[in-house]
Amino acid sequence: MARVPAATAVTELSAPAPEAALPKTYDPAGTESRWQHAWESSGAFHPDPAAPGEPFSVVIPPPNVTGSLHMGHAFNTALIDTIVRFQRLRGKNVLCLPGTDHASIAVQTILEKQLKAEGQRKEDLGREAFLEKAWGWKAESGGTIVGQLRRLGYSVDWQRERFTLDAGCSAAVIEAFNRLHEQGLIYRGEYLVNWCPASGSAVSDLEVEMKEVDGHLWHFRYPLTSGAGFLEVATTRPETLLGDTAVAVNPKDPRYADLVGQTLTLPLVGRQIPIVADDHVDAEFGTGCVKVTPAHDPNDFAIGQRHNLPLITVMAKDGSMNEAAGRFAGLDRFEARQAVVAAMEAEAFLVKVEDYRHSVPFSDRGKVPVEPLLSTQWFVKTEPLAARCREALENADPRFVPERWSKVYRDWLTDIRDWCISRQLWWGHRIPAWFVVSETGGVITDNTPYVVARDESEAMAKAEAQFGGGTHAHPVVLEQDPDALDTWFSSGLWPFSTLGWPDDDAADLERWYPTSVLVTGFDIIFFWVARMTMMAGALMSGAEGSGIPWIPFKDVYIHGLVRDEQNRKMSKSSGNGIDPLLLIERYGADALRFALVREVAGAGQDIRLDYDRKSDTSATVEASRNFANKLWNVTRFALMNLGGEMPASLGEPDPAALQLADRWILSRLARVNRETAERYGNYGLGEAAKGLYEFAWNEVCDWYVELIKRRLNPGENPSPAALADQRTARAVLAKVLGELLVMLHPLMPHLSEELWHGLTGQPESSFLALQSWPALDQVALDDQLEAQFAELIEAIRVVRNLRALAGLKPSQGAPVSFVTGRAELAALLQEASPDITALTRAESVAVLSPEQAEAAPAAKALAGVSGELQVLLPIEGLVDLDALRGRLEKDIAKADREIKGLAGRLANPNFADKAPPEVVLECKANLAEAEAQAALARRRLGDLG
């Protein structure tokens, strides 16, 4: 069993008396905060790499330091923590490592807004003062989400918490950049990038949000230079036509075959541009003619490369038109759009304008449309890295759960472009490259030579060696690249930079790399998952000689989205997010965690969370809170009925003393143990939650506890046999609850920890979180008994339903007869007759064969059926038969009315043919149910005579 390190163990507390161990009502807030503090202050989740046990590690997806907890974080946390808590119970040496991402653009945007409100710009402060301000902001506000994650009970090692800009991660970034550059995988060049005019930086594809907008599609005439006519093109961005360098048609389009190679005269500009043939053009779309602006559109850029077209940039990086735009220079891009349209109309080049709804890429941070712009940036060559990852995937490395996501991962790696990794920002990892500005007049230009190094002294040594060492009159002068790296660059190193890389001898790296599982959403399979595998392929492959795989995680568990009450994706733009903190305050973190995991119908599936926005309530989470209360109450019941003993003192139940209900519940306990361990281990987390819920609520609380109440309280002056049976019932109850709490712990850690301490009397320093998974009792498994006991439960339910139908008072006894031709079922009912008597207030229990029932004197009785078993409740002399007949006649009349209405709807062609299929099926099911109820009521009325 895992132990708390002696050096960090909390002071042991004396165990409270069992009857006082648990308050009457469950207080989630107090319970959760107390155990969160106890776990963290004791170092319960701070593993030693030298400790025994198979290593199991997870590095959590680092949330942005600017962020606050949203439902996606809560869902991801619940899944990860369920996995790692289970593995810890299995005796593995578990590291769950937390951390946050520095979120370059988000933080810089926040700070620049603050400066703007003060009438300043970052340039007024200078880089060093600005970064000092950024670190100050991070210290004050950056820990918000970390505190919120703690509220969920994350069993991470907070002592190992990392930040993508901390010293260790920064050293890893510098080393990675240098090694990739040395391998020829990083280069500097001009390429088309997503440019955000608001933030003045290139942005990654993930930092772009596609939005549907109402715009226009303008159709223009481009005249043939020969004067023999014109071609018609359409565009949503008229301002870019100023940079057109061709018009493209499909090579198989017969309409334009004779025109390919001729030229057009670009309106408003007068430049002659060629007509080129390119397979990218869809001949069926529009006129089949596409204007080509290679410097302002990624598809056009590709066409331009294939046809050696010139690149003409007509827009500056602030979103205004530049000198190449001619008479439109200086205009904002949207002002220029209107001006270009007006000029085209004035010169008779405008054919028509159509309303057009289309997707426009917006900068997620700048909140403005991005512009594809040519820019000199730093890039990673991705194809060599992607090829290595594709090869590894042939051996299911990593293994995706569900497996279908491996195809998405492969597709990203197959059709991949080089990765722009530079950002025009100050907050972030400054690019470790130094420009030799003494070669270009003291300024950085696109042609200034540079050296890549680990620090400035190494850079100077490289530069002096390359440029002759300089002279006193002409010394080598260096200036570090002012740009920062894309945040995803450091995130791509996360699985190994957090464990101590580039120190290959780091104890954590040796012990816990590669990590065991990555748990993340499908939306960042490329942006994060693929980048981590690509970076590992370049940087960790050297470890292969020692037998260590380079892929940074063995499994990738892809989860779905949390959708709102209307099944919509939650998003900031839709304003339909649900604040998990509100639900935690109302119901507790365990209730929210359990609700989220239990909703998972299968790995990778989206889940739906109901939510009343007027009252900030959720029926789903409330149901989980009710489950927590049920567990609380059954544990208190046990404490009040165990006679002051604990599971340890009661010991294992004596197999020879077990009664029928004991053998059944122990068989079910063993089966649930085996099923739950398999489900946790195979990422069937939703199935595990559902199975434990059904077992705990229905089988333990509703049936077993009810069945043993009479045995737990044998009355005054009990016999030695009754006392022995009482002790057996106590031992079984204690065992079942104790093991159930361990199995529930990964899902509801705080509640289970509290109840386990109450049940076992263990000191606070001995955590349930560090115990062992219960041993599987193979001997207890009994398939036949479980099947028979299920029949017994159904028989008892039928008796209870018949009593309710007869209107018998709860205290009123009545004889019960069971009729079956199956000898084994008859034997079970005979053995269980004391249980049946206790649970149904049976005056007597008779088990008859069909022949015996046929020969018995006729008596007025209500009859019910459960499978092959007939249940008879004689009621003559016990109830008012006339009143019962009246109730049955009312039930029949009500059912007949329902049948008539439902049959009428189904007979109406307007409903049957036009209603949604699921509505028609529901109507048919309701009709069948009503007909069955009417038939049953008529049969019972007939039995009464």
Side-chain angles (χ1 to χ4, degrees):
M1 183 178 71
R3 300 290 182 187
V4 177
T8 58
V10 297
T11 304
E12 296 203 0
L13 305 177
S14 58
E19 63 271 16
L22 294 175
K24 186 175 181 180
T25 57
Y26 171 46
D27 169 29
T31 300
E32 290 167 1
S33 63
R34 184 169 66 257
W35 287 114
Q36 287 161 12
H37 175 73
W39 290 326
E40 188 171 345
S41 63
S42 69
F45 308 130
H46 179 62
D48 181 352
E54 179 186 340
F56 187 93
S57 58
V58 175
V59 290
I60 77 167
N64 285 347
V65 73
T66 57
S68 60
L69 190 67
H70 59 62
M71 201 56 73
H73 291 130
F75 186 37
N76 184 263
T77 298
L79 296 173
I80 293 176
D81 203 49
T82 298
I83 292 168
V84 299
R85 284 184 183 269
F86 167 70
Q87 296 295 344
R88 205 176 278 119
L89 292 169
R90 295 296 268 180
K92 295 184 181 179
N93 188 355
V94 175
L95 170 64
C96 189
L97 192 147
T100 49
D101 188 277
H102 60 278
S104 292
I105 293 178
V107 171
Q108 186 144 331
T109 299
I110 289 171
L111 296 175
E112 288 192 22
K113 284 182 178 178
Q114 291 179 358
L115 289 172
K116 186 176 181 180
E118 298 167 2
Q120 297 185 77
R121 300 177 307 127
K122 71 179 189 298
E123 289 78 10
D124 298 332
L125 271 68
R127 189 178 192 120
E128 295 305 317
F130 178 81
L131 291 177
E132 185 177 341
K133 184 179 180 69
W135 280 105
W137 176 89
K138 193 266 181 185
E140 292 180 12
S141 308
T144 298
I145 195 166
V146 170
Q148 293 171 342
L149 289 175
R150 279 181 157 98
R151 290 282 303 276
L152 287 163
Y154 226 159
S155 64
V156 300
D157 183 3
W158 291 111
Q159 295 183 48
R160 281 183 169 91
E161 181 185 350
R162 301 301 301 270
F163 177 51
T164 48
L165 272 181
D166 67 26
C169 287
S170 295
V173 166
I174 292 171
E175 184 64 25
F177 190 98
N178 275 266
R179 291 194 191 184
L180 291 171
H181 187 265
E182 289 163 4
Q183 294 175 35
L185 294 170
I186 283 183
Y187 67 93
R188 181 172 167 81
E190 188 178 51
Y191 205 78
L192 207 63
V193 299
N194 295 315
W195 187 267
C196 173
S199 60
S201 174
V203 294
S204 74
D205 291 337
L206 192 63
E207 295 156 344
V208 172
E209 180 183 2
M210 300 304 294
K211 293 183 179 180
E212 288 287 321
V213 300
D214 291 319
H216 296 92
L217 190 63
W218 287 272
H219 291 251
F220 297 129
R221 292 189 182 95
Y222 281 26
L224 288 160
T225 305
S226 65
F230 61 87
L231 293 183
E232 183 180 323
V233 300
T235 181
T236 59
R237 300 162 67 208
E239 67 280 8
T240 64
L241 73 81
L242 303 170
D244 285 358
T245 57
V247 166
V249 298
N250 190 285
K252 298 178 183 177
D253 192 334
R255 294 173 294 177
Y256 308 113
D258 294 340
L259 296 180
V260 173
Q262 295 189 35
T263 63
L264 300 162
T265 301
L266 184 63
L268 308 185
V269 178
R271 183 168 59 245
Q272 291 188 17
I273 59 175
I275 301 170
V276 299
D278 196 277
D279 289 327
H280 171 76
V281 179
D282 181 0
E284 303 298 322
F285 183 77
T287 63
C289 300
V290 175
K291 60 186 287 298
V292 182
T293 318
H296 289 277
D297 182 273
N299 293 321
D300 292 4
F301 181 82
I303 294 174
Q305 287 189 316
R306 288 192 289 270
H307 297 277
N308 296 315
L309 299 175
L311 304 173
I312 300 176
T313 301
V314 296
M315 195 178 298
K317 290 182 176 179
D318 63 358
S320 65
M321 307 306 289
N322 65 16
E323 295 172 354
R327 56 176 143 157
F328 303 100
L331 293 178
D332 173 79
R333 54 181 168 160
F334 300 115
E335 295 173 340
R337 177 174 300 176
Q338 301 307 318
V340 167
V341 170
M344 291 289 280
E345 183 176 21
E347 298 186 28
F349 292 120
L350 178 63
V351 178
K352 61 180 177 179
V353 182
E354 296 178 312
D355 291 335
Y356 190 64
R357 185 168 180 80
H358 61 127
S359 294
V360 173
F362 276 71
S363 168
D364 187 47
R365 301 300 178 185
K367 307 304 180 187
V368 298
V370 298
E371 286 291 340
L373 283 182
L374 280 172
S375 181
T376 300
Q377 303 284 347
W378 292 91
F379 294 88
V380 172
K381 290 181 182 178
T382 49
E383 175 50 32
L385 302 177
R388 186 182 185 90
C389 295
R390 293 195 300 269
E391 181 181 351
L393 192 60
E394 294 297 325
N395 297 315
D397 200 3
R399 179 175 73 109
F400 278 81
V401 181
E403 195 277 334
R404 67 178 183 273
W405 290 110
S406 64
K407 182 181 184 304
V408 176
Y409 170 73
R410 182 188 298 279
D411 289 346
W412 275 113
L413 293 170
T414 301
D415 185 15
I416 194 168
R417 293 188 299 181
D418 285 356
W419 172 18
C420 175
I421 56 172
S422 47
R423 299 290 180 267
Q424 287 61 58
L425 301 167
W426 287 354
W427 173 247
H429 295 102
R430 193 168 181 180
I431 291 175
W434 282 260
F435 289 99
V436 188
V437 293
S438 50
E439 296 294 306
T440 51
V443 295
I444 298 175
T445 70
D446 287 348
N447 299 315
T448 303
Y450 62 84
V451 292
V452 171
R454 288 160 180 81
D455 55 39
E456 189 169 7
S457 61
E458 181 183 327
M460 182 60 75
K462 285 185 174 182
E464 289 179 344
Q466 185 174 348
F467 296 98
T471 65
H472 180 71
H474 301 286
V476 170
V477 180
L478 301 180
E479 185 176 333
Q480 188 174 356
D481 192 319
D483 291 349
L485 284 165
D486 175 17
T487 305
W488 292 103
F489 190 92
S490 52
S491 297
L493 310 176
W494 190 247
F496 44 94
S497 67
T498 53
L499 296 176
W501 186 88
D503 179 2
D504 292 332
D505 295 328
D508 286 1
L509 190 69
E510 287 188 349
R511 182 62 164 162
W512 285 298
Y513 186 88
T515 62
S516 304
V517 59
L518 174 72
V519 181
T520 189
F522 63 83
D523 50 340
I524 54 174
I525 287 177
F526 171 68
F527 299 107
W528 192 39
V529 180
R531 281 172 175 164
M532 285 188 285
T533 58
M534 288 192 296
M535 295 290 253
L539 302 170
M540 300 301 293
S541 57
E544 284 185 318
S546 60
I548 300 174
W550 57 268
I551 286 286
F553 20 73
K554 299 169 188 173
D555 293 340
V556 180
Y557 173 46
I558 299 293
H559 61 74
L561 303 172
V562 183
R563 295 186 175 272
D564 70 4
E565 63 279 9
Q566 297 178 32
N567 206 36
R568 299 174 302 174
K569 177 182 176 180
M570 293 185 195
S571 68
K572 292 179 182 178
S573 57
S574 299
N576 65 333
I578 300 172
D579 186 352
L581 293 173
L582 289 174
L583 296 176
I584 290 172
E585 292 290 343
R586 184 178 292 274
Y587 303 112
D590 278 3
L592 176 61
R593 287 171 53 132
F594 189 83
L596 290 171
V597 178
R598 187 180 173 215
E599 286 296 302
V600 179
Q605 297 299 309
D606 289 353
I607 68 170
R608 183 173 174 179
L609 188 64
D610 70 281
Y611 188 64
D612 186 328
R613 297 181 183 275
K614 293 181 180 179
S615 59
D616 291 326
T617 58
S618 167
T620 303
V621 185
E622 185 175 358
S624 294
R625 167 62 191 274
N626 293 341
F627 179 52
N629 288 337
K630 189 81 169 180
L631 294 167
W632 186 271
N633 291 335
V634 74
T635 307
R636 290 191 76 251
F637 169 84
L639 290 174
M640 291 186 288
N641 286 277
L642 293 181
E645 292 201 67
M646 302 290 173
S649 62
L650 287 166
E652 284 291 317
D654 179 5
L658 298 175
Q659 291 200 21
L660 177 67
D662 302 328
R663 298 199 309 274
W664 167 71
I665 199 66
L666 290 176
S667 179
R668 291 295 303 136
L669 179 69
R671 193 172 308 281
V672 169
N673 180 327
R674 185 174 67 187
E675 291 174 348
T676 304
E678 289 174 354
R679 288 164 175 168
Y680 280 149
N682 295 324
Y683 309 112
L685 309 183
E687 292 83 355
K690 293 181 185 73
L692 288 170
Y693 179 93
E694 294 298 322
F695 176 67
W697 193 300
N698 296 333
E699 296 176 315
V700 176
C701 297
D702 286 357
W703 287 103
Y704 184 69
V705 168
E706 293 302 315
L707 285 165
I708 64 171
K709 280 182 177 178
R710 60 185 174 80
R711 297 165 59 196
L712 292 171
N713 295 285
E716 297 181 7
N717 302 315
S719 66
L723 287 174
D725 187 46
Q726 179 191 51
R727 185 169 184 82
T728 297
R730 285 173 171 174
V732 173
L733 178 61
K735 175 182 175 67
V736 170
L737 283 182
E739 294 189 11
L740 173 61
L741 291 172
V742 178
M743 291 188 284
L744 276 166
H745 178 75
L747 295 160
M748 307 181 87
H750 312 89
L751 173 70
S752 57
E753 189 80 70
E754 181 84 353
L755 295 180
W756 183 80
H757 278 82
L759 184 68
T760 63
Q762 291 289 327
E764 186 171 323
S765 59
S766 180
F767 297 117
L768 166 59
L770 300 180
Q771 301 305 305
S772 297
W773 187 262
L776 177 61
D777 186 357
Q778 294 278 8
V779 176
L781 287 168
D782 190 331
D783 295 353
Q784 183 179 6
L785 174 62
E786 290 184 37
Q788 290 178 338
F789 210 88
E791 291 184 291
L792 172 62
I793 288 173
E794 285 307 309
I796 292 172
R797 285 197 177 110
V798 172
V799 175
R800 287 173 166 176
N801 290 339
L802 293 176
R803 286 179 59 88
L805 177 65
L808 293 175
K809 296 177 182 178
S811 60
Q812 190 174 359
V816 177
S817 295
F818 298 101
V819 181
T820 179
R822 289 169 49 205
E824 71 276 7
L825 179 56
L828 177 77
L829 293 168
Q830 289 283 12
E831 184 181 358
S833 58
D835 295 327
I836 296 171
T837 299
L839 295 183
T840 66
R841 298 283 182 178
E843 210 171 63
S844 62
V845 176
V847 183
L848 309 173
S849 67
E851 294 77 16
Q852 291 171 323
E854 186 70 25
K860 295 191 183 301
L862 290 175
V865 177
S866 174
E868 301 175 19
L869 179 70
Q870 184 181 25
V871 183
L872 300 174
L873 183 70
I875 56 173
E876 195 165 5
L878 296 177
V879 300
D880 184 338
L881 294 179
D882 289 337
L884 179 54
R885 289 189 187 96
R887 288 204 302 276
L888 288 170
E889 288 168 351
K890 286 183 179 179
D891 290 344
I892 293 168
K894 179 181 178 182
D896 285 343
R897 287 194 300 271
E898 188 174 353
I899 291 167
K900 182 179 179 180
L902 293 169
R905 290 184 73 190
L906 289 169
N908 183 348
N910 288 329
F911 173 77
D913 298 336
K914 297 179 181 178
E918 62 272 16
V919 175
V920 175
L921 285 174
E922 182 182 6
C923 187
K924 289 179 178 179
N926 291 339
L927 176 59
E929 175 68 18
E931 289 173 340
Q933 292 296 329
L936 179 62
R938 284 191 171 90
R939 188 166 62 249
R940 285 171 173 165
L941 186 61
D943 291 339
L944 296 179

